[in-house]
Amino acid sequence: MTGNADEPFITAVKPLVDAMGGEMLPPDEAGPDDVVLAWEGVDVVAVRLPQLADSLDHILAAMERRQGKPLADLDRKAKQEVVRILEARGAFSVRHGVETVASALGVSRFTVYNYLNREKEN
């Protein structure tokens, strides 16, 4: 993708791009919606950001990896914490976000709404 001088920069930004579910590509392949990152005045890498719905799936998969088990296997308190984190990250502004999260947690949409309402009451 780039020369050796750029490797530390790419190594530094890769965890962030991966956490977002983005894709790194050569700057000359960047599209109009991609973000080109420059280092010392030179375009080094382009980042293709995921669609919001894909981001939610990526976030849920990352949360599952961190928990070490399916989110549906978590206890109620842990599921409430997952909903709190997802709300803070804007997961419920995505179309079908509640349904996607409910499915991942193995609960109903109603339960997710209850978790959200409980958080607002505290």
Side-chain angles (χ1 to χ4, degrees):
M1 182 177 316
T2 59
N4 288 344
D6 301 325
E7 288 302 317
F9 179 79
I10 291 173
T11 300
V13 299
K14 186 173 182 349
L16 176 62
V17 173
D18 289 347
M20 295 182 319
E23 176 187 354
M24 296 172 73
L25 48 136
D28 59 348
E29 293 180 20
D33 295 328
D34 297 331
V35 178
V36 177
L37 302 177
W39 181 253
E40 296 180 347
V42 177
D43 291 346
V44 175
V45 65
V47 177
R48 181 157 296 152
L49 301 172
Q51 298 298 312
L52 284 175
D54 295 336
S55 291
L56 180 53
D57 290 338
H58 186 80
I59 291 166
L60 288 167
M63 292 181 93
E64 234 173 46
R65 281 192 304 276
R66 248 182 312 225
Q67 295 289 335
K69 60 182 170 182
L71 297 177
D73 292 348
L74 298 175
D75 64 26
R76 184 176 55 85
K77 185 174 174 80
K79 288 179 181 182
Q80 289 172 334
E81 178 65 10
V82 166
V83 168
R84 185 193 65 72
I85 291 167
L86 291 171
E87 182 180 29
R89 293 187 71 178
F92 302 111
S93 63
V94 175
R95 184 180 171 130
H96 303 298
V98 171
E99 292 86 349
T100 301
V101 171
S103 176
L105 292 175
V107 300
S108 69
R109 288 180 18 224
F110 180 75
T111 299
V112 172
Y113 284 118
N114 277 342
Y115 291 170
L116 288 167
N117 290 334
R118 180 168 294 131
E119 183 65 29
K120 286 177 176 53
E121 292 169 4
N122 292 335

